[in-house]
Amino acid sequence: MYKLYIVEDDEGIAEGIRSLADGWGFESTVCRDFRRVTEEFTALQPHIVLLDIKLPFAGGFHWCAEIRRVSKVPIVFISSASDNMNIVMAMNMGADDFIAKPFDGSVLIAKLQALLRRTYDFTAAAPVLSRRGAFLNTGDNTLLVGDTRVELTKNEYRILLCLMESRGKVVSREKLMERLWQTDSFIDENTLTVNVNRLRKKLDAAGLEGFITTRFGVGYIVE
């Protein structure tokens, strides 16, 4: 079942789309906080996004750019502001399609289904993990902090992935080493310590001081 995220401030239109899409087998979620669109997107991990241009607090172009920084998920604009300038701007911001309001429901569903087939017949959706402004894209192994792209080694990425997957829970050093041993990395206690310290320095330099906390005698945690 494909997950659809609807970012539309007209409640009637949003609920109408949700009901229609759910009837076609989608799992649809309507945005509830237009100040936290990226956070809702990251928590939901949708397969496709419907995005209006005119929204409270920040417009659709802003949120399209923010989503594009962390994900390649298909984005479709829906708007009554369908002049050529807005359509061109939407595409330049990273949108995959633009549907003018008012639209026919069957046309909307057909476009969504076609875009999903093109996108996911050949590639699976890659989740993005986030915490405290850090976005870890598991599709291309990249870490974004604000406008900064943090370069990670393979071991640093795997350590951070394990910690962010278990955020709020302590991960033992043994579990981290076991996770790395499952790949082509065979490391001991000292090597793990070196990798964690290097990772911390990179996170600190990107503005994430104290992102990884040590629980002495137990392991590490991202809270």
Side-chain angles (χ1 to χ4, degrees), residues 149-215:
R149 181 187 176 107
V150 181
E151 297 296 332
L152 302 176
T153 67
K154 289 182 179 180
N155 280 346
E156 290 166 353
Y157 165 75
R158 291 161 181 162
I159 290 168
L160 188 58
L161 174 63
C162 187
L163 292 173
M164 290 184 71
E165 285 176 338
S166 306
R167 72 180 190 183
K169 299 178 181 178
V170 178
V171 179
S172 69
R173 292 173 61 85
E174 290 76 15
K175 181 176 179 180
L176 284 173
M177 287 190 291
E178 180 182 343
R179 183 74 169 264
L180 295 174
W181 286 337
Q182 292 173 357
T183 64
D184 56 357
S185 299
F186 298 92
I187 67 173
D188 56 18
E189 289 269 356
N190 291 334
T191 308
L192 177 62
T193 299
V194 169
N195 276 272
V196 171
N197 288 339
R198 286 178 179 167
L199 176 58
R200 277 177 162 155
K201 287 180 181 179
K202 291 183 179 181
L203 295 173
D204 288 348
L208 291 176
E209 293 84 357
F211 191 77
I212 298 174
T213 302
T214 300
R215 294 291 173 84

Side-chain angles (χ1 to χ4, degrees), residues 21-172:
D22 286 355
W24 281 89
F26 287 82
E27 180 183 332
S28 307
T29 300
V30 175
C31 177
R32 296 305 181 191
D33 188 342
F34 294 99
R35 290 167 294 194
R36 304 179 63 188
V37 172
T38 308
E39 292 179 45
E40 287 192 6
F41 167 84
T42 304
L44 179 62
Q45 291 298 306
H47 296 93
I48 193 166
V49 176
L50 280 179
L51 185 61
D52 195 4
I53 292 179
K54 296 179 180 179
L55 297 168
F57 306 109
F61 293 141
H62 167 79
W63 293 120
C64 181
E66 289 298 298
I67 292 172
R68 272 291 166 262
R69 289 175 58 241
V70 300
S71 176
K72 296 179 181 179
V73 67
I75 298 175
V76 178
F77 272 96
I78 49 172
S79 179
S80 56
S82 56
D83 56 274
N84 289 341
M85 181 64 71
N86 278 321
I87 294 174
V88 169
M89 181 171 280
M91 296 306 176
N92 287 339
M93 295 300 292
D96 297 276
D97 205 343
F98 191 110
I99 301 176
K101 297 178 183 175
F103 47 78
D104 183 276
S106 60
V107 173
L108 173 65
I109 295 298
K111 282 180 172 285
L112 293 181
Q113 290 175 332
L115 187 52
L116 287 167
R117 283 195 301 271
R118 292 198 299 270
T119 303
Y120 298 112
D121 276 354
F122 302 101
T123 180
V128 177
L129 306 179
S130 70
R131 191 64 175 167
R132 288 175 47 189
F135 295 88
L136 186 66
N137 190 319
T138 62
D140 56 13
N141 300 2
T142 57
L143 176 66
L144 287 175
V145 182
D147 294 325
T148 303
R149 181 187 176 107
V150 181
E151 297 296 332
L152 302 176
T153 67
K154 289 182 179 180
N155 280 346
E156 290 166 353
Y157 165 75
R158 291 161 181 162
I159 290 168
L160 188 58
L161 174 63
C162 187
L163 292 173
M164 290 184 71
E165 285 176 338
S166 306
R167 72 180 190 183
K169 299 178 181 178
V170 178
V171 179
S172 69

